[in-house]
């Protein structure tokens, strides 16, 4: 659980999606939110979302739990996710680094 871990772009997208969704953050909604955030830049498969969520949980950046089974899902439960304090710090540091990179590029006229 290193807080100096620099997140990959998919990790950033997914952590941001989890934060935006709050109490409604489960696999499918996280995938939909991630697709919205990445629109026009990259595509995100549902499988990569679940794989990344598992990796983020191993790192201690998110935690998950299962809901009670529901009839709408054929008696299956949903796996919900929540960002941890360590995850918020990792995302903040990653965004701060991206801001420094953007500033440097703008200083040399690399980006408008």
């Amino acid at each position: 659980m290193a807080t100096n871990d620099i997140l990959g772009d998919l990790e950033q997208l997914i952590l941001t999606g989890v934060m935006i969704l709050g109490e409604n953050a489960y696999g499918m909604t996280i995938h939909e939110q991630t697709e919205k955030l990445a629109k026009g830049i990259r595509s995100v498969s549902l499988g990569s979302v679940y794989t990344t969520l598992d990796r983020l949980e191993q790192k201690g950046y998110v935690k998950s739990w299962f809901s009670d089974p529901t009839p709408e899902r054929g008696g299956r439960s949903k796996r919900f996710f929540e960002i941890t304090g360590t995850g918020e710090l990792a995302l903040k540091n990653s965004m701060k680094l991206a801001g420094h990179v953007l500033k440097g590029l703008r200083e040399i006229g690399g980006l408008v």
Side-chain angles (χ1 to χ4, degrees):
M1 285 194 278
T3 56
N4 61 350
D5 183 21
I6 300 302
L7 303 171
D9 62 334
L10 187 55
E11 291 175 319
Q12 291 173 10
L13 287 167
I14 290 174
L15 285 175
T16 301
V18 170
M19 287 185 74
I20 290 169
L21 291 164
E23 294 180 4
N24 197 33
Y26 60 93
M28 188 57 70
T29 60
I30 295 168
H31 176 250
E32 291 168 356
Q33 185 64 49
T34 303
E35 283 275 292
K36 285 180 192 175
L37 292 168
K39 188 175 182 174
I41 308 287
R42 67 170 291 174
S43 62
V44 180
S45 72
L46 182 58
S48 66
V49 169
Y50 281 112
T51 300
T52 304
L53 283 165
D54 287 339
R55 184 173 59 249
L56 290 168
E57 189 164 32
Q58 289 173 354
K59 290 181 177 183
Y61 295 163
V62 297
K63 61 182 178 179
S64 69
W65 65 94
F66 288 93
S67 69
D68 291 330
T70 61
E72 297 86 19
R73 295 179 43 83
R76 296 187 336 241
S77 59
K78 289 181 187 175
R79 184 176 173 199
F80 285 89
F81 293 87
E82 178 182 5
I83 191 167
T84 64
T86 305
E88 285 186 28
L89 182 58
L91 183 57
K92 179 181 175 183
N93 288 340
S94 193
M95 294 293 96
K96 188 174 183 180
L97 176 62
H100 291 315
V101 170
L102 185 58
K103 181 181 176 194
L105 287 171
R106 285 185 175 148
E107 286 175 358
I108 63 164
L111 294 174
V112 179

